[in-house]
Amino acid sequence: AIEGLLPPVVFSMEDEIERAKNQFSLLQSPLDKYMFLLALQNRNETLFCRLIIDNVTEMMPFIYTPTVGEACQKYGSIMQQSRGMYISIKEKGNVQKQLDQWPFKQVDVVVITDGERIL
């Protein structure tokens, strides 16, 4: 049985967006807002996307420049959860082996960088 494992109430997407907007508005620094959005993306990607799509003008400065530049500079101290695959130069000759470990067979987007950050 699943009684007790699910909340007794299901909130509408609109209610969840409003709650997320309220939480977001309480944060002061752009980096805190960025981290809130990153955590939301990791926790509930559907809600994250709807929040961004419905409030793109308000949210854009926190998911792109200038805030992402600061987030890149502080990446080591603010990283919460890894997203994606990281292949080091030390893996030269073993890249295919690493790619074969990726748990998903369908890949929609590939971004390759030299580690100097992308914006």
Side-chain angles (χ1 to χ4, degrees), residues 16-103:
E16 290 191 50
I17 290 170
E18 191 61 34
R19 184 179 316 121
K21 282 178 64 175
N22 288 338
Q23 292 169 346
F24 180 84
S25 70
L26 295 173
L27 301 170
Q28 298 300 311
S29 78
L31 192 59
D32 286 342
K33 291 182 180 208
Y34 168 83
M35 291 173 58
F36 170 83
L37 292 171
L38 187 64
L40 180 61
Q41 182 184 24
N42 288 330
R43 183 173 65 251
N44 186 335
E45 199 158 19
T46 301
L47 178 57
F48 168 81
C49 289
R50 276 290 308 274
L51 180 65
I52 299 301
I53 290 168
D54 292 355
N55 302 279
V56 69
T57 303
E58 179 184 354
M59 300 293 165
M60 189 58 72
F62 306 103
I63 59 171
Y64 196 58
T65 56
T67 307
V68 173
E70 180 183 2
C72 286
Q73 292 172 337
K74 297 179 178 176
Y75 180 77
S77 62
I78 67 168
M79 182 185 165
Q80 298 172 353
Q81 178 178 333
S82 178
R83 293 179 66 90
M85 175 175 268
Y86 302 87
I87 301 174
S88 166
I89 190 69
K90 296 175 184 174
E91 299 302 322
K92 185 177 179 182
N94 295 314
V95 173
Q96 187 61 52
K97 182 178 176 184
Q98 284 209 312
L99 292 174
D100 290 343
Q101 294 180 63
W102 186 246

